Amino acid sequence: MSSDHYFSATPSSSYTPRTIHVTLQGRAVELTTAGGTFSPERLDAGTAVLLNNVPTPAPGGNLLDIGCGWGPITLSLAMASPHATVWAVDVNERSLDLTRQNAESLGLDNVRVCKPDEVPDDIVFRTIWSNPPIRVGKDELHSLLRRWLPRLDERSDAWLVVARNLGSDSLQRWLDATLDSTFTTSRHATSKGYRVLRVRKHGSPSTDTLDLA
């Protein structure tokens, strides 16, 4: 049995690509996945809930997908906002290769695929979409979110999908307790056992929390 996890940096299993058919941004596409990545057989249910419950992303600027896997969130962002730069980050080298390959196959030249440390420190994000890697463990997950959420631009939102039975409500409480007073966290949507959390970074003066869906 393989000891690979989708958050392994270098999967030890052999690279055996497969083709799947999914619909992203209303467009039927053919993409490549492989074992050693997150949900290689299909579009994950949580990711589908996220994509069905987020507002249209900003038309420009920098957008971020935390834990891109083989790329469905990244590709959706890039298709919705062709004039924005979409940063796809992951620690899994196979995931990065697949996201890069899938973006190229769809002609999406606004995608930047890289490891977390390769994202320039001075970049802030107009939005973040993520199905975060809950199974890395609470400490690693919290470290991941503390790293990226403060890099939201003012008056911008992060959208996170988390299964209720994997701690979505406790994560919301942790975010409220951990992020500084320029942030608010709210429950945006509930569907099929998942919560979509909205993390809003306010401006100065503070902006009201508005539902943009």
Side-chain angles (χ1 to χ4, degrees), residues 10 15 48 71 85 118 121 152 165 183 188 203:
T10 307
Y15 176 67
T85 298
E118 296 172 338
D121 292 337
L152 277 171
N165 65 351
F183 291 86
H188 175 71

Side-chain angles (χ1 to χ4, degrees), residues 154-156 182 184 200-210:
E154 288 193 346
R155 301 176 178 84
S156 298
T182 63
T184 56
R200 175 74 167 173
K201 184 172 184 179
H202 298 278
S204 301
S206 181
T207 53
D208 293 333
T209 300
L210 301 176

Side-chain angles (χ1 to χ4, degrees), residues 133-144:
I134 298 297
R135 297 186 187 279
V136 297
K138 185 177 293 186
D139 290 344
E140 286 295 324
L141 174 66
H142 289 176
S143 177
L144 183 76

Side-chain angles (χ1 to χ4, degrees), residues 118-191:
E118 296 172 338
V119 179
D121 292 337
D122 59 346
I123 286 179
V124 294
F125 300 101
R126 297 290 304 279
T127 196
I128 297 172
W129 290 5
S130 181
N131 184 348
I134 298 297
R135 297 186 187 279
V136 297
K138 185 177 293 186
D139 290 344
E140 286 295 324
L141 174 66
H142 289 176
S143 177
L144 183 76
L145 296 176
R146 281 196 299 264
R147 175 177 190 167
W148 294 111
L149 293 180
R151 294 182 64 173
L152 277 171
D153 200 356
E154 288 193 346
R155 301 176 178 84
S156 298
D157 300 290
W159 307 88
L160 312 174
V161 64
V162 183
R164 282 181 292 180
N165 65 351
L166 293 179
S168 61
D169 294 345
S170 62
L171 180 63
Q172 181 178 349
R173 291 191 293 271
W174 178 82
L175 289 167
D176 276 331
T178 302
L179 297 174
D180 67 38
S181 60
T182 63
F183 291 86
T184 56
T185 304
S186 58
R187 185 185 303 165
H188 175 71
T190 299
S191 178

Side-chain angles (χ1 to χ4, degrees), residues 26-50:
R27 174 180 169 187
V29 295
E30 181 178 283
L31 302 173
T32 301
T33 72
T37 64
F38 178 63
S39 190
E41 299 88 5
R42 64 187 68 86
L43 183 66
D44 170 71
T47 299
V49 168
L50 178 73

Side-chain angles (χ1 to χ4, degrees), residues 49 66 94 96 118 193:
V49 168
I66 306 170
R94 186 172 295 173
L96 297 175
E118 296 172 338

